Amino acid sequence: MATPVNIIVGSHVWVEDPDEAWIDGQVTKITGKDAQIQTTNGKTVTEKLSKIYPKDLEAPPGGVDDMTKLSYLHEPGVLQNLKTRYELNEIYTYTGNILIAINPFQTLPHIYDSHMMQQYKGAPFGELSPHVFAVADVAYRAMINESKSNSILVSGESGAGKTETTKMLMRYLAFLGGRVATEGRTVEQQVLESNPVLEAFGNAKTVRNNNSSRFGKFVEIQFDKHGRISGAAIRTYLLERSRVCQVSDPERNYHCFYLLCAAPAEEVEKYKLGKPQSYHYLNQSRCYELVGVSDAHDYLATRRAMDIVGISEKEQEAIFRVVAAILHLGNIVFAKGKEVDSSVPKDDQAKFHLNTTAELLMCDVKALEDALCKRVMVTPEEVIKRSLDPQSATVSRDGLAKTLYSRLFDWLVDKINNSIGQDPNSNFLIGVLDIYGFESFKANSFEQFCINFTNEKLQQHFNQHVFKMEQEEYTKEKINWSYIEFVDNQDVLDLIEKVRSPIDYVNH
Ligand SMILES: Nc1ncnc2c1ncn2[C@@H]1O[C@H](COP(=O)(O)OP(=O)(O)OP(=O)(O)O)[C@@H](O)[C@H]1O
Ligand SMILES: [Mg+2]
């Protein structure tokens, strides 16, 4: 970021600080390309002139609501503005027509109530304080006035607040396009209640976020010619399958497993369940409960949301039967069988879980045991059945658990889509994209690779629209402007997805 301002002795500047990110100070001496700075936290530091930035002394004490109003648009200036506003509980700030949201980590009900919704309805963009409702309002108005579909992209690292923001966007769109007092379930109610259902099955506690989305989601809300919500479609991407049988401390498996263990006693008994501590798929981590969350309450809330979405009582039972079956499946431990390289359920406990899994999945116990302990190979000449040793049987057990869970999730999404229904006559829609954010753990696996790659792609889309296309437009219209430098991640994408790249090999 080049700064066009001259820095001289006496200038107020920002300099990088290992603890504070940026600290302000005053230049006391300049020697060649270096400057000596006396910082406000009492340090004297020397830094290259090219790495220090002028401080805006005239910035209003409460910050500015649009970053384009800043005198200097550099990193410390932007961060300082966001910090000043955040300290005043102003979590939203514009940068032109982009909204930046900072996670408040506390409920701020007054900024999302129906009075607020009324205020933002139809208000010109930028007239009121920056708000997520204003973004949804612009998308909606543009759709009505120009008969054009729109999409809202929500991006940020894990725990930044994407899913919460997406829910606010959906609530506001439901408010704009909702019907006044109709009987029974409305489409908008179904759309909103699909969130807790999907979160119960697709979210989990990670190191970064107690309610981390482990799948990507694109919700298309369809509208009729009067601007009323007439249908919706939910597309999901890449559910993290490995979590079903592998959880590291202090994370949790998918919420639904803990919810079911905390269900009313008769349900728990029906599925022959016990405490989460007794299941291999849950007890690899010592974290079972979330602060401020009641799994028992959330179980009932999820069942209610399922009712609203249109999942029948019978279907709900079938869903939880599969959830319970997966927990029992994970407890089938194998020991060596009589023949070489064969395996059998280790003891009575393992047999109990095998029987219960078969009972819940309504399949034949022997067939299930064979599926786990034997491998079938079909050749043009014959069908070969080979026994598996305990280790391989465990791998096939975990494979079955992952496949069962991801099919259950896909089925759930299909069910929600069929139940809400699509409007074949809808002319336009608003899409909202909420994916899993960038993440980097102590040990990162293929899943993190895919998640971070998806985020890089989204960042490139953003770069294309915000920087590249905008600057091409300026050039075309011969507007006098100075090139804005930005970090282009195209090289990273090429490395990963071009010919002879890892993704290319996976695809072939
Ligand atoms: N606007 C908000 N108001 C109140 N709390 C919020 C808000 N945004 C986020 N939070 C809090 O932060 C937590 C994490 O937010 P959220 O789940 O939306 O993150 P995310 O960006 O979707 O992360 P991931 O990529 O892991 O899914 C929420 O569970 C909530 O407690
Ligand atoms: Mg999320």
Side-chain angles (χ1 to χ4, degrees), residues 205-207 243 247-253 258 285 287 441:
K205 175 199 158 60
T206 65
V207 179
R243 183 168 298 269
V247 200
S248 49
D249 205 52
E251 304 208 336
R252 288 210 316 181
N253 209 318
Y258 307 86
S285 159
C287 175
F441 301 124

Side-chain angles (χ1 to χ4, degrees), residues 157-164 166 199 203 209 211-215 217 434-437:
E157 64 180 323
S158 179
K162 296 180 294 297
T163 301
E164 294 301 314
T166 303
E199 282 183 26
N203 286 26
N209 180 358
N211 185 34
S212 184
S213 313
R214 310 314 296 162
F215 66 106
K217 174 177 81 178
D434 169 27
I435 59 169
Y436 20 47

Side-chain angles (χ1 to χ4, degrees), residues 256-269:
C256 63
F257 293 113
Y258 307 86
L259 301 193
L260 186 57
C261 290
E266 65 273 17
E267 305 259 318
V268 177
E269 275 163 34

Side-chain angles (χ1 to χ4, degrees), residues 1 14 22 53-54 56 63-64 66-68 70-86 93-95 100 102:
M1 263 183 283
W14 289 105
W22 295 94
Y53 299 96
D56 182 5
V64 290
D66 187 339
M67 230 81 89
T68 58
L70 287 175
S71 307
Y72 308 120
L73 202 58
H74 46 48
E75 186 181 311
V78 164
L79 292 178
Q80 176 63 23
N81 189 52
L82 293 174
K83 185 177 172 214
T84 311
R85 290 176 60 75
Y86 190 66
T93 306
Y94 291 128
T95 295
I100 297 175
I102 310 233

Side-chain angles (χ1 to χ4, degrees), residues 164-214:
E164 294 301 314
T165 302
T166 303
K167 285 190 274 190
M168 293 306 169
L169 286 167
M170 288 168 74
R171 263 188 56 211
Y172 186 75
L173 290 171
F175 159 76
L176 290 181
R179 268 149 254 258
V180 196
T182 35
E183 295 215 346
R185 292 189 300 256
T186 61
V187 179
E188 62 271 17
Q189 260 180 323
Q190 290 186 301
V191 173
L192 294 181
E193 288 304 315
S194 69
N195 284 322
V197 178
L198 289 178
E199 282 183 26
F201 291 83
N203 286 26
K205 175 199 158 60
T206 65
V207 179
R208 307 287 308 264
N209 180 358
N210 277 2
N211 185 34
S212 184
S213 313
R214 310 314 296 162

Side-chain angles (χ1 to χ4, degrees), residues 210-229:
N210 277 2
N211 185 34
S212 184
S213 313
R214 310 314 296 162
F215 66 106
K217 174 177 81 178
F218 185 58
V219 183
E220 293 178 350
I221 303 178
Q222 303 161 337
F223 295 83
D224 64 16
K225 57 180 187 295
H226 307 291
R228 299 244 169 258
I229 295 180

Side-chain angles (χ1 to χ4, degrees), residues 12 18-19 23 109 123 133 217 219 263 300 329 439 454 487:
H12 289 266
D19 306 319
I23 190 85
F133 293 162
K217 174 177 81 178
V219 183
L300 298 175
L329 181 63
E439 57 190 19
T454 314
V487 183

